Amino acid sequence: MDNTDVSPKIHTDDQTRRLYANDASSYEELPKGVAFPSSTQDIVAIVKQAQKEGESITPRGAGTSLAGQTTGEGIVIDVGRHMNSIQQINSEQQWAQVQPGVIRDSLNRETDQYNLEFGPDTATTNRCMLGGMIGNNSCGIFSIKHKTTREHILEIDAVLSDGSRATFKPLTQQELAKKQKLDTLEGYIYREIISLIRENRDQILEHYPHPDIIRRNTGYALDRLCEMQPFVPDGRKFNMAELLCGSEGTLAMTTSAKVNLVPQDPESVIVVPHFSSIRKALEATSEVVKMDPAAAELVDHIILNATKDNIEQRKNRFFLDGEPHCILIIQFDGNDQQKLIRKAQKMARHLQEQSLSNSAPIITDDKKKERVWNLRKAGLGLLMGLGSEGRTPSFCEDTAVRVSDLPDYIDDFQQILDRHDTNCVFYAHASVGELHLRPQIDLQQPEGIQKMKTMAGEIAELVCSYCGSLSGEHGDGRARAPYIEKVLGSEMMPLLKRVKQIWDTHGIFNYGKITSPKPLEEDLRYSPSYQKPEIDTQFNWRKEDSFGNALELCNGAGVCRKLSDSGGTMCPSYMATKEEKDSTRGRANLFRQLFSGKQQEAFQSEELKDALDLCLSCKACKSECPANVDMARMKAEFTQGWHNKHGISLGERFFAQAAKLYPLANLFPNLSNWIIKQPVVKELLQQFLGIDKRRNLPQFAEETFMDWFNTRPTTNPAAGEEVVLLIDIFTNYHEPHIGKAAVQFLEFYGYKVTVPDFHEVGRPQISKGMLTHAKNILNQNLPKLTSFADRGLPIIGLEPSEILTLRDEYIDLCDDDQLEQAQFVADHSFTFEEFAAEILNKNNQPSSSPKKEKVYIHGHCHTKSLIGNSAIKKLLTRAGFQPIVLDTGCCGMAGSFGYEEDHYDVSMDIGKLRLFPALHNLPEDTTICAPGFSCRHQIMDGTGRTASHPAEILMD
């Protein structure tokens, strides 16, 4: 394709093509190019060009499809990058006009002011887009209440396969007659579809899934058209938009949609019955749906067990009573919470009387309810993070039957599993007869491929026997299209192909999805031909068993693509740029593709180096990613490999080895401070070291902490218990007052403070990918640290990233014969906040303030990811303050990242997303707490506000 003649540009570089080769499914197809249209006119131009040159088009939003709908070998059109405008909200008539790239939660944040919402609530609502929801006819957790996207789409503006435009909406009989007379592709579509339905209506209704099944999305929605006028005189007005819902982008390209908004229910209550078996849970579901719940979701023991090993989801297990085999999460909505509580209690009693459940916690607190649903929504990602042995390909996870049939259906399904000697995860939408069933199969073995194919056929036949739907909401795509015939019958296939031909004569839209599919086993991400990376690394990758396994953790669910408004920290660079290459998923896909192909040579990949450039190594992905992808560690490993061939730049050496330069600068601190402020020096620093001249470098203290500590008079000679206080180079040279405050606090409570003779643990070196240097530091420090731990001494750190390096990277960076020591040291290591909180707790410290002062906390990224903010909240509460943890994400500084010329703008953009606005809104005399050195300096640079370390606040 001649890119110069196409508007918008079709990106055909290898990096972009690799980034769009995967979605959240089992498939991987390298497209010929990727386009990012800004308007309907752009889409029209692309469609006309594709038709002229015989290229296929794959529409794509967030790329969270599970059946392979958004992978294709032609041109991928990403509508999310630019076509993401909410064009109009009409609160009186309760509708909104949106472009296809609008994220569902973003729409609901705007409509919240009117107490309205777009109802369908998938597990991916913080990143999935309305165009994708239309394409898949998405439903989600509350489908028993809101049904499917189809019920909420009023009109669709679309580009047809010849590049013409049309609007599909409800039509009167007279309007329909006019449409059929049009001498255009639109008119042809109306004439032919009406004729097809008229000739085959009885046959369609006979072969399609049972109408009682809310989630029926197999093939094209011809059964829905059969319910409309003119075929049913008192039926709904004829609306082709209902056919486009669930058509997976195979018929037309959505450019805008008018969607229905529904009133929010002000109150809700959650009840969580626990069960000893899946059968009991499903029998209970038949009872539950009689009480009109808004949702009833099944979560089985495999997912519940997976939450134990996920840092983020461990916190959301609070409501579990023991170790249930499975649970139902049931929500009741309404106007009166007391009535809802009574309903929940009545249901719990009824299930107990039926000997189905003996425990059913009721949750009414809004934040706790959110945590319950967050655990449920993490289900898929948790499953895909279980490693290769627990991998569950998504070839049959979307079947739906009537709720009353569900217990027997699952028993029959279990027989198929037993016959093939495999296990299955059971979870999701029990209230509407759909469970996400994901058998554990290793597709990297030839027998695994054969097992999947055989089971897919048997499951399709089972679904047919129950008049069920092969796809409830995730679509047919690549995974289920080959088996539609088994469910709907051979009589229906010519009709489906006819629909495709009517709309898309030349087959340019998402070819091979729904009709004319490739075999199930083609283009799999993992297959017997997959070459597992076997790489020499510096980290040992002990939890994952190998670097190759670590590269396979990402499942494509795209949690890293959520925007800043959705909260959390992952992934700060994507939140700022909204480019796939800056997401954890994008980087992880490049890692896997390149290393599985080039093996050790991939360490020299320019593509990967570019994608990692804006990674802040914040570690948010280690906890917020359901699969626990640790991109910070992967970046460090790659960067070390890059250094091995290309060397280390002067700027990288400066930031990573500042400890060697600081003693020189500190000989004359006032002079050093004057020099680094001079414009000419700033220019030189920018030119030679890449330090952005717009930044103010930290000032050197006139007296270092160590000078003070070693010369001060002993204030507590009778001190009892000894503690070790790690003083990092930033505290020693730049902010010794923080170290002084920490010593004074510890000594006040009777501790004898010992300060080691080193200031580095290797954090800057790890961040810069200088792992051999970091390992040398580890080798020097570990014996000293072990000697402290052997004596039972707590090892306390003031800088979160430094002390947490002992608990995180040291465990994997050390050699096998050092592992026991490293783990022992980690067990004795504490952040200042953790240890100080325990001191106050042990001393039963009362509040000394008659009126509690509010302290606003910006948490450090590594703290949030690895241990959470509970310690700092506990500390400040115990000290008599009222702590308020701000949801400010990443500050954007991330060590040296924000100081670097190439990163300054992105660094500030990240700060502007949430941190800076949150602080600007606080009164001038507010106390701001930020344990991180970089965070405090970013706050000063971005807002002019002073933030304090917890030790300072305690001593003040």
Side-chain angles (χ1 to χ4, degrees):
M1 181 175 287
D2 184 359
N3 296 342
T4 60
D5 296 330
V6 177
S7 178
K9 178 182 178 182
I10 307 295
H11 297 261
T12 57
D13 60 281
D14 287 346
Q15 185 195 68
T16 304
R17 293 169 64 218
R18 290 185 193 278
L19 288 167
Y20 284 84
N22 301 97
D23 53 13
S25 73
S26 302
Y27 294 96
E28 181 170 285
E29 295 180 83
L30 200 64
K32 290 186 178 178
V34 182
F36 304 97
S38 300
S39 64
T40 299
Q41 289 76 16
D42 284 348
I43 292 178
V44 168
I46 297 170
V47 169
K48 288 183 176 179
Q49 188 77 10
Q51 185 189 49
K52 178 182 176 182
E53 301 190 4
E55 296 287 1
S56 65
I57 288 174
T58 301
R60 179 173 170 128
T64 57
S65 296
L66 289 163
Q69 292 95 323
T70 56
T71 65
E73 59 186 18
I75 304 302
V76 172
I77 296 184
D78 180 350
V79 298
R81 177 79 65 85
H82 303 299
M83 296 186 68
N84 50 27
S85 171
I86 300 173
Q87 297 165 313
Q88 185 180 356
I89 296 174
N90 189 317
S91 58
E92 292 185 5
Q93 297 181 23
Q94 298 185 1
W95 55 262
Q97 189 79 29
V98 297
Q99 289 184 312
V102 170
I103 294 173
R104 185 268 192 186
D105 281 0
S106 297
L107 173 61
N108 279 6
R109 276 190 287 273
E110 292 297 318
T111 60
D112 185 64
Q113 60 185 308
Y114 308 111
N115 294 317
L116 297 172
E117 64 181 354
F118 181 75
D121 183 31
T122 69
T124 58
T125 53
N126 62 4
R127 68 263 190 204
C128 75
M129 299 173 184
L130 270 294
M133 295 185 76
I134 292 170
N136 282 352
N137 190 33
S138 301
C139 314
I141 289 170
F142 294 94
S143 57
I144 193 171
K145 175 182 180 181
H146 295 302
K147 297 187 169 52
T148 74
T149 295
R150 184 177 285 130
E151 280 80 16
H152 298 269
I153 297 300
L154 304 176
E155 299 179 10
I156 290 177
D157 295 329
V159 173
L160 304 180
S161 62
D162 65 347
S164 62
R165 299 167 59 176
T167 297
F168 298 100
K169 60 183 180 180
L171 301 174
T172 65
Q173 301 253 19
Q174 293 78 14
E175 290 170 332
L176 180 58
K178 286 184 180 179
K179 288 287 186 184
Q180 293 181 75
K181 293 178 181 177
L182 293 175
D183 186 21
T184 60
L185 177 55
E186 181 187 6
Y188 173 76
I189 289 171
Y190 274 105
R191 289 191 298 274
E192 292 298 312
I193 292 295
I194 290 292
S195 175
L196 184 149
I197 298 296
R198 183 172 287 120
E199 293 170 9
N200 299 281
R201 182 172 180 272
D202 292 343
Q203 196 178 21
I204 291 169
L205 295 176
E206 178 186 351
H207 286 86
Y208 264 62
H210 196 286
D212 287 350
I213 300 171
I214 293 174
R215 292 164 163 265
R216 54 189 202 277
N217 211 43
T218 302
Y220 294 116
L222 298 177
D223 57 334
R224 299 283 296 191
L225 300 186
C226 291
E227 302 169 356
M228 300 175 182
Q229 302 172 16
F231 312 111
V232 178
D234 58 349
R236 302 187 301 280
K237 291 180 181 179
F238 192 83
N239 186 0
M240 207 77 83
E242 292 197 28
L243 180 68
L244 291 178
C245 285
S247 65
E248 303 177 20
T250 63
L251 304 181
M253 276 285 298
T254 298
T255 58
S256 180
K258 183 178 180 181
V259 302
N260 178 53
L261 303 174
V262 297
Q264 298 174 350
D265 283 304
E267 302 290 347
S268 65
V269 168
I270 289 177
V271 57
V272 190
H274 294 32
F275 302 94
S276 59
S277 71
I278 295 289
R279 175 85 193 192
K280 284 191 174 184
L282 298 182
E283 290 175 353
T285 302
S286 293
E287 299 297 313
V288 170
V289 295
K290 297 174 184 176
M291 299 186 69
D292 193 28
E297 296 285 296
L298 179 77
V299 182
D300 79 351
H301 66 287
I302 296 178
I303 293 178
L304 293 177
N305 287 337
T307 63
K308 296 177 182 178
D309 295 326
N310 181 274
I311 297 170
E312 186 77 6
Q313 296 309 320
R314 272 202 302 267
K315 298 178 286 188
N316 295 333
R317 290 172 51 89
F318 69 93
F319 60 91
L320 293 177
D321 182 7
E323 298 288 341
H325 183 80
C326 59
I327 59 174
L328 284 175
I329 302 175
I330 302 162
Q331 180 165 312
F332 294 106
D333 291 349
N335 297 312
D336 187 327
Q337 190 179 55
Q338 291 306 310
K339 286 183 178 179
L340 297 177
I341 292 173
R342 288 193 293 272
K343 182 186 276 193
Q345 292 170 336
K346 179 181 178 181
M347 193 205 71
R349 285 194 303 270
H350 178 66
L351 296 182
Q352 187 171 12
E353 291 165 359
Q354 296 293 314
S355 299
L356 295 172
S357 173
N358 290 322
S359 179
I362 295 174
I363 297 104
T364 58
D365 179 78
D366 286 342
K367 290 186 178 179
K368 289 184 176 180
K369 286 185 291 186
E370 184 178 1
R371 288 168 61 192
V372 173
W373 284 125
N374 284 342
L375 182 139
R376 155 64 189 91
K377 289 186 174 186
L380 174 63
L382 291 171
L383 293 178
M384 297 304 289
L386 294 177
S388 58
E389 292 184 2
R391 194 164 284 143
T392 56
S394 58
F395 67 96
C396 65
E397 96 287 352
D398 203 31
T399 62
V401 297
R402 286 171 289 183
V403 178
S404 58
D405 289 334
L406 199 51
D408 290 339
Y409 171 74
I410 292 303
D411 282 348
D412 291 341
F413 193 95
Q414 184 63 52
Q415 290 182 21
I416 295 177
L417 295 173
D418 294 342
R419 191 157 60 244
H420 292 281
D421 190 29
T422 188
N423 298 313
C424 187
V425 177
F426 299 85
Y427 79 108
H429 318 297
S431 63
V432 287
E434 179 186 338
L435 294 185
H436 293 328
L437 309 168
R438 300 179 67 100
Q440 294 181 352
I441 300 176
D442 185 359
L443 298 183
Q444 294 184 39
Q445 304 300 322
E447 55 269 26
I449 296 289
Q450 188 55 51
K451 181 185 291 188
M452 179 178 69
K453 291 174 63 179
T454 303
M455 288 183 65
E458 293 177 0
I459 291 165
E461 291 172 355
L462 177 63
V463 170
C464 179
S465 71
Y466 279 89
C467 296
S469 178
L470 193 59
S471 170
E473 66 167 327
H474 293 165
D476 296 320
R478 292 288 309 273
R480 284 175 280 277
Y483 301 94
I484 294 175
E485 184 171 352
K486 284 184 178 289
V487 176
L488 298 185
S490 58
E491 300 92 335
M492 289 296 99
M493 297 312 295
L495 299 188
L496 298 184
K497 291 179 179 178
R498 177 64 180 146
V499 171
K500 172 68 171 173
Q501 186 179 39
I502 290 169
W503 285 78
D504 185 17
T505 305
H506 300 289
I508 66 169
F509 284 137
N510 220 3
Y511 185 78
K513 319 295 165 58
I514 300 182
T515 61
S516 306
K518 293 181 181 180
L520 175 66
E521 70 275 17
E522 280 194 24
D523 302 318
L524 290 172
R525 187 188 310 191
Y526 300 109
S527 69
S529 63
Y530 173 75
Q531 220 180 346
K532 195 175 189 70
E534 296 180 4
I535 309 296
D536 295 329
T537 59
Q538 293 295 322
F539 283 117
N540 286 290
W541 301 94
R542 290 188 168 96
K543 180 181 177 182
E544 300 85 355
D545 291 329
S546 71
F547 184 54
N549 284 348
L551 300 187
E552 297 171 10
L553 284 176
C554 177
N555 56 77
V559 180
C560 48
R561 283 179 55 100
K562 67 182 186 296
L563 300 183
S564 62
D565 291 346
S566 293
T569 302
M570 178 181 70
C571 175
S573 52
Y574 176 79
M575 289 178 179
T577 69
K578 299 181 181 63
E579 291 195 24
E580 180 75 13
K581 75 178 180 68
D582 297 322
S583 69
T584 303
R585 179 179 74 177
R587 294 167 180 141
N589 276 332
L590 288 176
F591 260 108
R592 177 181 42 75
Q593 292 172 29
L594 288 164
F595 275 95
S596 65
K598 298 182 177 181
Q599 298 289 325
Q600 199 80 20
E601 292 181 13
F603 280 119
Q604 309 312 319
S605 169
E606 294 276 2
E607 298 171 56
L608 196 45
K609 186 176 187 296
D610 176 65
L612 291 168
D613 182 56
L614 296 186
C615 173
L616 285 79
S617 299
C618 69
K619 283 193 173 289
C621 48
K622 183 161 183 171
S623 61
E624 292 183 36
C625 168
N628 300 137
V629 172
D630 190 344
M631 188 52 62
R633 190 174 300 190
M634 291 166 68
K635 177 183 179 180
E637 192 73 76
F638 171 82
T639 307
Q640 175 65 66
W642 177 273
H643 290 330
N644 288 343
K645 183 169 183 179
H646 299 278
I648 303 170
S649 71
L650 191 59
E652 288 170 319
R653 289 187 183 278
F654 173 81
F655 283 115
Q657 299 181 334
K660 295 181 179 180
L661 302 173
Y662 273 24
L664 296 175
N666 192 65
L667 290 174
F668 304 98
N670 291 330
L671 177 62
S672 297
N673 291 336
W674 180 82
I675 289 174
I676 61 178
K677 287 181 179 179
Q678 301 311 302
V680 65
V681 174
K682 286 192 169 191
E683 288 284 354
L684 291 172
L685 290 174
Q686 180 168 299
Q687 182 177 349
F688 290 103
L689 299 180
I691 300 173
D692 197 285
K693 62 184 179 183
R694 290 169 287 184
R695 284 287 186 194
N696 294 312
L697 289 174
Q699 298 287 286
F700 289 92
E702 292 189 17
E703 180 185 46
T704 68
F705 170 85
M706 293 306 299
D707 288 343
W708 170 82
F709 186 78
N710 291 329
T711 59
R712 72 194 178 106
T714 303
T715 58
N716 194 2
E721 186 177 345
E722 186 178 356
V723 296
V724 177
L725 182 65
L726 290 185
I727 298 296
D728 55 273
I729 60 170
F730 312 109
T731 300
N732 185 47
Y733 290 101
H734 295 306
E735 299 181 334
H737 60 282
I738 292 174
K740 294 176 186 178
V743 170
Q744 291 162 359
F745 174 84
L746 293 167
E747 290 185 340
F748 178 83
Y749 283 98
Y751 290 90
K752 177 184 176 183
V753 179
T754 294
V755 177
D757 61 354
F758 59 86
H759 301 307
E760 288 188 293
V761 298
R763 177 76 258 160
Q765 290 80 3
I766 292 170
S767 296
K768 289 299 179 186
M770 296 166 60
L771 297 183
T772 55
H773 293 72
K775 197 160 187 175
N776 289 336
I777 293 172
L778 179 152
N779 291 334
Q780 295 170 22
N781 292 349
L782 195 56
K784 300 175 184 179
L785 293 166
T786 302
S787 68
F788 295 134
D790 282 340
R791 293 165 54 197
L793 304 186
I795 301 167
I796 305 164
L798 296 170
E799 178 63 27
S801 63
E802 296 271 327
I803 190 67
L804 291 175
T805 298
L806 306 187
R807 285 158 65 166
D808 186 22
E809 283 90 356
Y810 267 35
I811 304 300
D812 256 5
L813 194 58
C814 68
D815 293 332
D816 289 344
D817 61 352
Q818 298 172 307
L819 180 58
E820 186 175 348
Q821 285 182 314
Q823 189 61 64
F824 193 54
V825 167
D827 294 340
H828 284 76
S829 301
F830 304 91
T831 64
F832 175 81
E833 297 80 56
E834 289 177 306
F835 194 77
E838 285 306 307
I839 289 177
L840 297 188
N841 189 52
K842 283 194 296 185
N843 285 272
N844 197 26
Q845 178 71 35
S847 169
S848 59
S849 309
K851 182 180 180 182
K852 289 189 176 182
E853 178 187 348
K854 292 180 180 179
V855 176
Y856 293 87
I857 302 166
H858 167 69
H860 190 283
C861 287
H862 289 199
T863 302
K864 288 184 285 190
S865 174
L866 299 174
I867 61 174
N869 283 320
S870 59
I872 192 169
K873 288 177 63 179
K874 185 192 298 184
L875 170 63
L876 293 174
T877 300
R878 207 37 136 159
F881 297 97
Q882 182 182 345
I884 300 172
V885 178
L886 298 168
D887 183 12
T888 45
C890 177
C891 74
M893 183 68 89
S896 65
F897 180 90
Y899 286 99
E900 295 162 0
E901 180 184 7
D902 293 343
H903 300 149
Y904 174 84
D905 290 330
V906 171
S907 169
M908 298 304 287
D909 287 343
I910 292 170
K912 292 172 185 176
L913 290 173
R914 278 146 66 206
L915 175 60
F916 299 166
L919 299 183
H920 280 310
N921 291 333
L922 298 178
E924 285 296 324
D925 59 350
T926 296
T927 300
I928 301 169
C929 178
F933 175 84
S934 296
C935 303
R936 294 191 294 275
H937 284 259
Q938 177 79 325
I939 288 170
M940 174 57 71
D941 285 358
T943 69
R945 308 288 291 265
T946 299
S948 302
H949 190 278
E952 295 179 84
I953 294 173
L954 290 179
M955 294 315 295
D956 285 344

